[in-house]
Amino acid sequence: MEARKVVRVVAVLVAGAVALCHAYRTFSDEPTTTPGYGPGVLHLRGVDDIEFGDTEQELRRRGELDATFPGEDVSASDCGPSLTESATVSPVFAGDRLVLLWASPPVRTPEGVTAGTPVDQVEAAYPAATRLTAPPGSYRYDGLLAMQGDRAYLFLHDGRTVRKTVAGYTDYAKRLFDEGFGTC
């Protein structure tokens, strides 16, 4: 009888050890689920080390945003915080969270799309993109919205080429297109 108890205890301990070892595997044992992007690639997580959902405070602490804090003097030409490493990518925050990034060349999507890319190439790269038509009489661009879950690319175009490339949360990209945007 005593031997049975010992065998059960040993079996439970072995099972626990196996489960513990499995739980503490190193991250490198796991297959990569998201591709690594080089510098200057605007993807659906963000750009470089900047990710959608990051807070302004986090980005400032990491040195990714300029040092201008809310309430400090900002010139009339400033539209908000800017990235320290890239003059060609502009962040858009809702509340305190990064929700969109506007990008200009040389920054491009993983598929190589940037301002200046012909619309037919964008449609080939993103065949499921939804065509968006600007309101008649407005001075806004038409768009192509390429969605993947809660993230999307918004390519604003003049009918021939991409004029602006935006990436971020789908709801904010749709809102940007529907409501327009200011001079920033």
Side-chain angles (χ1 to χ4, degrees), residues 62-79:
R62 294 185 349 223
E64 303 283 358
L65 280 183
D66 65 17
T68 306
F69 287 89
E72 292 183 5
D73 289 337
V74 178
S75 73
S77 65
D78 288 340
C79 294

Side-chain angles (χ1 to χ4, degrees), residues 1-180:
M1 180 80 84
E2 196 65 37
R4 262 190 205 160
K5 286 183 180 180
V6 170
V7 170
R8 282 186 198 165
V9 169
V10 169
V12 169
L13 290 174
V14 168
V18 168
L20 187 62
C21 288
H22 180 73
Y24 285 103
R25 286 188 313 197
T26 61
F27 183 76
S28 62
D29 291 341
E30 298 289 326
T32 304
T33 56
T34 54
Y37 300 105
V41 176
L42 179 66
H43 49 84
L44 293 177
R45 286 190 335 263
V47 67
D48 301 330
D49 293 331
I50 298 165
E51 293 191 7
F52 299 112
D54 285 347
T55 65
E56 284 187 64
Q57 183 179 19
E58 281 176 63
L59 293 172
R60 280 198 176 88
R61 182 182 47 75
R62 294 185 349 223
E64 303 283 358
L65 280 183
D66 65 17
T68 306
F69 287 89
E72 292 183 5
D73 289 337
V74 178
S75 73
S77 65
D78 288 340
C79 294
S82 60
L83 301 178
T84 55
E85 295 296 317
S86 179
T88 60
V89 179
S90 298
V92 177
F93 292 90
D96 186 31
R97 298 274 178 192
L98 178 65
V99 296
L100 295 172
L101 289 166
W102 290 74
S104 299
V107 176
R108 58 182 168 58
T109 70
E111 293 74 22
V113 176
T114 189
T117 302
V119 171
D120 61 341
Q121 286 182 16
V122 177
E123 291 174 321
Y126 302 95
T130 303
R131 289 178 165 268
L132 304 172
T133 305
S138 71
Y139 292 101
R140 295 174 13 202
Y141 293 116
D142 289 340
L144 289 168
L145 185 67
M147 299 177 284
Q148 186 176 359
D150 71 339
R151 309 290 172 91
Y153 293 110
L154 174 61
F155 303 105
L156 301 174
H157 63 85
D158 61 9
R160 294 184 313 277
T161 61
V162 172
R163 306 298 288 182
K164 298 286 182 183
T165 304
V166 182
Y169 291 110
T170 301
D171 290 345
Y172 287 96
K174 286 179 180 177
R175 187 180 306 168
L176 171 71
F177 185 82
D178 291 342
E179 297 174 8

